[in-house]
Amino acid sequence: MEGLQAQGRVVAMVGDGMNDAPVLARADVSFAMASGADAAQRRADFVVMSGSPAAVAAALRLSRRTMRIVRQNFGWALAYNAVALPLAAAGWIGPWEAAIGMAASSFIVVLNAMRLQPSGAEPSSWKASTSSSLSPSRSYS
């Protein structure tokens, strides 16, 4: 794992036993099975609630989709501000028009983020870890 991380690769680890806890703590992204040892669950970034490893793939797909939507929202906000701020500074739009535009921009960002909502009412097959210790990795845990 350290060799891959030294090459700049992002390493994910899935484990369920007591002996997996140190490796889960060192990985960039880590998953522990709910049926596994408590030590593994405390060191992991995510706990897979179902017994299926397919939940790990689903969590990774959701994380990629989330980052894509975050980038879209940043792009939209940057584009809006690149247009609206110079127009407001030049006096071509009034304060009330700028306020309406900002509110509309925020509404668009929220609607875009809502696309991440699950379509069904099924419970999630994974959950974020509740551990309060920070991961030494470069991940966003």
Side-chain angles (χ1 to χ4, degrees):
M1 178 187 325
E2 290 176 356
L4 290 171
Q5 289 174 328
Q7 295 172 11
R9 308 283 302 267
V10 176
V11 177
M13 173 69 182
V14 179
D16 66 350
M18 181 74 75
N19 60 335
D20 294 330
V23 181
L24 290 169
R26 180 71 176 106
D28 294 310
V29 179
S30 56
F31 298 85
M33 305 308 266
S35 59
D38 288 341
Q41 292 179 22
R42 290 195 46 80
R43 293 295 185 175
D45 295 316
F46 297 93
V47 176
V48 179
M49 301 306 289
S50 70
S52 173
V56 173
L60 292 174
R61 280 193 304 274
L62 179 61
S63 69
R64 288 186 186 106
R65 191 167 167 226
T66 299
M67 288 309 298
R68 186 171 46 247
I69 288 178
V70 166
R71 284 188 212 95
Q72 289 171 0
N73 286 342
F74 276 136
W76 167 255
L78 182 66
Y80 170 79
N81 285 316
V83 171
L85 289 177
L87 291 176
W92 292 346
I93 59 174
W96 67 272
E97 294 164 319
I100 289 173
M102 185 58 75
S105 173
S106 297
F107 187 65
I108 289 169
V109 165
V110 169
L111 287 178
N112 193 33
M114 286 179 63
R115 296 187 307 151
L116 291 170
Q117 290 276 352
S119 57
E122 70 278 352
S124 178
S125 58
W126 58 270
K127 69 177 184 109
S129 175
T130 57
S131 175
S132 61
S133 61
L134 291 176
S135 173
S137 68
R138 295 170 293 154
S139 66
Y140 295 103
S141 60

